[in-house]
Amino acid sequence: MVGVHGHPEAANLVYLCLYALQHRGQESAGICSMRGGKPLVHRAMGLVSDIFSEPTIRRLAGRHAIGHVRYSTSGGSLLQNAQPFCANTDAGPVALAHNGNLVNARGLRRELESSGAIFSTTSDSEVLMHLLARSREKNLEERLVDALSRARGAFSLVMLTRDALVAARDPHGFRPLVLGRLDGSWLVSSETCALDLIGAEVERHLDPGEMVVARRGRVLSLRPFPKPAREAFCIFEYIYFARPDSNLEGGNVYYFRKELGRLLAREHPAQADMVVPLLDSGSPAALGYSEEIGIPFETAIIRNHFVGRTFIEPAQSIRDFGVKIKHNAIPEVIKGRRVVLVDDSIVRGTTLLKISKMMRAAGAREVHVRISAPPTVSPCHYGIDMPTRSELIASSRSVREIREAIQVDSLGYLSLEGLRNLAASLKHGHCDACFSNDYPVPISAPNSPQLALFRSVNEPATDGETP
Ligand code: AMP
């Protein structure tokens, strides 16, 4: 997500920032600008580079704009679910872009529908639009507070009104959101790498539960939500999701990953001839591992960068295809050697099984795997796309069984304790539910009939994981 307030090239800047945030969503993208009190919007399926052309950006005139890249964690991969959402309310025009998952969206939607609301998407974010439109508060900022007070779970969002840019983070602070400045204009972005690209300065990260309103060149900060029992910044942003050149509120992502690799080497040393990263996600941890243990680092597997991240495509057939064409080993480097492969996580185990076979075929003498995070045992309900519990290989198998399934000589995961010790140095408390099953916000019963509303035909059913 990105937002720009008060810049003559607002839509153009949003477009550039979305380029830098493309890793956060590759299914669809959209930009909405506000001109003369009228929202102008362009949304489409696909990558940012395919969706926007110069004439399209020119049409999105105005000094204020917001943008969004999406992958589906709730609601299907459909154009109607592409954001930003725009609407006209009796308090004026509004556009909204949301990152995160609302855990009570189903209940809210049922309630809204029973009082006559008609939904045009299957996305949980549309619930917020309806709450905004129905709120009895007088202006859109107050309406947003009203709407968000009813929402549970993860939301970092940006909202555009006739004259203001509003940004808010949920009180647990699950997803990142940063405030920046450029030439006297204000920006908000999910990650700092987007601000870097356009030469904007990072002003500061929004606090959990903070809302900022940029209007007529000034920014007002509010704390409209009650403080929860704990903060819960997503640790997986550090481990995998955010770009390594971004700084999250606790520090630089690259360094954090490298430190995970060092810890991993101390916990699970290996006797080998080289440390090989699974590009790109495993690189910083592999470097940390190699430095700590004193075994050379070799990029002996090359990645084709023109294939999207396997996981982001929701259809199983595409996912398998992606893994097959994504990596290629260099036999000249591997033949007769003992290799330690380092990656950030194992989800289904598909990638590593294919890579281990590829390494053997390339002549590796031994193949060891080290993972710079604990076993992924529970799905995320707060905005990271993950399969259901039964599809997570570590939810039902021991480390030994996983090692056998992926056919490697040894396997070591970072301990939860090690991760938590490192995370203790971060500025805010974190969420590690995917590794610990400890969910900071309770999840509503997943097997209710209402679930069907949020599932399009190509989405898998959940297996009833109530923490
Ligand atoms: P799998 O082949 O299912 O075990 O997936 C493992 C690969 O997916 C690793 O290389 C991870 O870096 C990557 N990965 C982990 N979590 C996600 C996610 N939520 N979205 C996309 N890729 C992921």
Side-chain angles (χ1 to χ4, degrees), residues 157-315:
L157 57 83
V158 287
M159 178 177 89
L160 197 60
T161 69
R162 194 177 273 137
D163 64 343
L165 173 72
V166 184
R169 273 185 89 193
D170 70 74
H172 290 87
F174 281 103
R175 300 279 145 231
L177 196 54
V178 61
L179 181 67
R181 299 190 82 146
L182 177 71
D183 307 333
S185 61
W186 292 98
L187 298 99
V188 283
S189 168
S190 292
E191 289 184 38
T192 59
C193 64
L195 302 182
D196 287 347
L197 176 69
I198 57 167
E201 273 171 44
V202 173
E203 179 78 8
R204 64 185 174 82
H205 294 267
L206 263 68
D207 279 331
E210 183 178 1
M211 180 161 148
V212 293
V213 182
R215 176 177 283 116
R216 286 186 277 283
R218 308 182 74 146
V219 167
L220 184 74
S221 166
L222 311 162
R223 312 274 164 162
F225 313 113
K227 239 182 155 61
R230 60 181 272 204
E231 289 169 343
F233 184 77
C234 169
I235 201 67
F236 203 59
E237 292 269 354
Y238 278 100
I239 292 169
Y240 168 82
F241 202 57
R243 246 171 67 160
D245 52 336
S246 282
N247 288 326
L248 299 173
E249 56 202 342
N252 174 255
V253 175
Y254 176 81
Y255 272 119
F256 192 90
R257 288 183 191 167
K258 223 175 147 186
E259 208 44 47
L260 289 172
R262 287 185 183 281
L263 268 179
L264 183 62
R266 293 202 283 275
E267 288 189 1
H268 297 283
Q271 294 214 322
D273 302 309
M274 62 176 129
V275 176
V276 175
L278 260 177
L279 299 175
D280 297 310
S281 54
S283 301
L287 202 52
Y289 191 96
S290 147
E291 282 180 10
E292 183 70 20
I293 207 165
I295 298 174
F297 176 92
E298 295 275 10
T299 45
I301 304 170
I302 299 303
R303 175 171 166 196
N304 180 343
H305 280 103
F306 302 98
V307 185
R309 279 191 191 188
T310 51
F311 227 70
I312 287 178
E313 318 280 339

Side-chain angles (χ1 to χ4, degrees), residues 336-349:
R337 320 276 299 276
R338 296 167 302 168
V339 178
V340 193
L341 291 170
V342 179
D343 202 2
D344 62 276
S345 55
I346 303 179
V347 183
R348 293 179 171 85

Side-chain angles (χ1 to χ4, degrees), residues 66-77:
I66 62 173
H68 188 263
V69 285
R70 176 169 197 268
Y71 70 104
S72 44
T73 56
S74 167
S77 173

